[in-house]
Amino acid sequence: MIILLVGMPGSGKGEVAKAFRRRGIPVISMGDAIREEAEKRGIPKTPEGLKYVSLKVREELGPGAVAILTIPKVRGIIKRKGIVVIEGVRSPAEVQEFRREFKNERVIILAIHSPPKVRFERLRRRGRSDDPKTWNEFLDRDKKELGFGIGEVMSLADYVILNNCTFNEFQRKIEKVVSKILSNWP
Amino acid sequence: MIILLVGMPGSGKGEVAKAFRRRGIPVISMGDAIREEAEKRGIPKTPEGLKYVSLKVREELGPGAVAILTIPKVRGIIKRKGIVVIEGVRSPAEVQEFRREFKNERVIILAIHSPPKVRFERLRRRGRSDDPKTWNEFLDRDKKELGFGIGEVMSLADYVILNNCTFNEFQRKIEKVVSKILSNWP
């Protein structure tokens, strides 16, 4: 089973990934594929370098490029474990690559939804170097993500967790949905 | 307050609209604007005629056209009642038209999410003349809706109701969210 984890910036994907890891389920990140590709090509892993690599691979392999780069690792984990969570899926083209490559696996989409105002407050508090400081910076980043087609992927999710509540309530919702998904496996 | 109701085909928007109507809150439909425009232009209100009108008005007024056509009616209701639900919003351009026109009103997005398989079964059972009969017809219709940008609107929703449960549970969720939204009004 392949679980594609999708959500806008600040929606709480990280907490969901942790819940799977706690149960011994491997989680891999689409972002890592870009970092490894930069390494391979000898391009510095600065924000600019990574941006260059992600544009370059899309030019070379099409809109599903990052999924294509991730496939060998996914194949290995599926062979050993039979299950994997993939974090950071962004476009319908990526979903299609996974569905095409893993025809005999169940591929499900798990979306995390959080209202824009809640995500903004969370990102502002988090304060990673690339996190937005103002509402306009936040809208710009959202727009960039939506440009990849993340909205389409979310609208077609098989499971949705609403992160519009306290941290503890969110954790309870995560446990409930993760249990439900795993109850169908193997 | 303006409540924009958005959801993929078969997600259960109609039930949510009913819940608002039961509380005496006016609900208007973006589809009606197209039907009225066809009437005005003397174009028959057949599926082909309506499709022609919706393409034509977008050509004339841009991607937010259907919202622009709806604005006079919304303005009237807001003046009399102070609150309205608008059903069938499809694109970020439409949301922007409402936000621009009604700067002093709270404009919120309420999304209804239901997993693709559940929506397909529901539409097949419903069997309106334009409802999909096969999985491929269903995917085609979804693709058309997503082409308008409905996924982007849903990803930016302020409230989401998950319709992945029994009818009674869905009704309870609707009541809860509708009460929460109305608790902020006036």
Side-chain angles (χ1 to χ4, degrees), chain A residues 44-172:
Chain A
K45 283 174 278 181
T46 57
E48 293 73 29
L50 295 174
K51 202 177 159 186
Y52 170 80
V53 173
S54 48
L55 289 174
K56 199 73 194 158
V57 295
R58 283 192 181 88
E59 229 177 83
E60 293 167 9
L61 302 170
V66 189
I68 295 173
L69 292 178
T70 311
I71 282 173
K73 203 189 273 183
V74 174
R75 200 185 291 124
I77 298 175
I78 284 292
K79 221 170 192 170
R80 289 197 315 277
K81 294 274 210 167
I83 188 167
V84 64
V85 173
I86 304 174
E87 195 185 345
V89 174
R90 273 191 172 110
S91 76
E94 291 167 349
V95 175
Q96 221 179 338
E97 289 298 341
F98 289 123
R99 290 225 157 108
R100 180 159 44 206
E101 181 66 28
F102 300 100
K103 277 203 187 66
N104 298 323
E105 288 295 323
R106 281 193 65 202
V107 177
I108 64 171
I109 300 172
L110 167 55
I112 321 302
H113 183 100
S114 188
K117 273 173 195 155
V118 176
R119 292 190 290 106
F120 174 56
E121 284 309 324
R122 206 174 286 140
L123 289 173
R124 206 163 53 166
R125 277 200 310 272
R126 184 170 76 176
R128 279 189 204 156
S129 68
D130 59 338
D131 281 339
K133 269 121 214 113
T134 66
W135 181 247
N136 278 337
E137 273 178 47
F138 171 76
L139 293 180
D140 280 349
R141 183 156 169 203
D142 264 18
K143 212 172 164 181
K144 215 181 96 191
E145 295 285 326
L146 291 169
F148 287 114
I150 208 171
E152 297 183 36
V153 179
M154 287 189 66
S155 301
L156 299 176
D158 301 293
Y159 297 88
V160 179
I161 305 175
L162 298 180
N163 184 6
N164 55 353
C165 47
T166 66
F167 185 77
N168 286 342
E169 280 167 335
F170 182 43
Q171 291 294 336
R172 272 196 295 275

Side-chain angles (χ1 to χ4, degrees), chain A residues 23 170-181:
Chain A
R23 293 174 183 234
F170 182 43
Q171 291 294 336
R172 272 196 295 275
K173 288 183 188 175
I174 293 173
E175 285 307 313
K176 210 172 140 183
V177 171
V178 168
S179 297
K180 201 170 164 187
I181 291 173

Side-chain angles (χ1 to χ4, degrees), chain A residues 8 113-116 119 142 146 150-152 154-158 160-162 164 180, chain B residues 8 113-116 119 142 146 150-152 154-158 160-162 164 180:
Chain A
M8 296 288 287
H113 183 100
S114 188
R119 292 190 290 106
D142 264 18
L146 291 169
I150 208 171
E152 297 183 36
M154 287 189 66
S155 301
L156 299 176
D158 301 293
V160 179
I161 305 175
L162 298 180
N164 55 353
K180 201 170 164 187
Chain B
M8 296 289 286
H113 183 100
S114 188
R119 291 190 291 107
D142 264 18
L146 291 169
I150 208 171
E152 297 183 36
M154 288 188 66
S155 301
L156 299 177
D158 302 293
V160 179
I161 305 175
L162 298 180
N164 55 353
K180 201 170 165 187

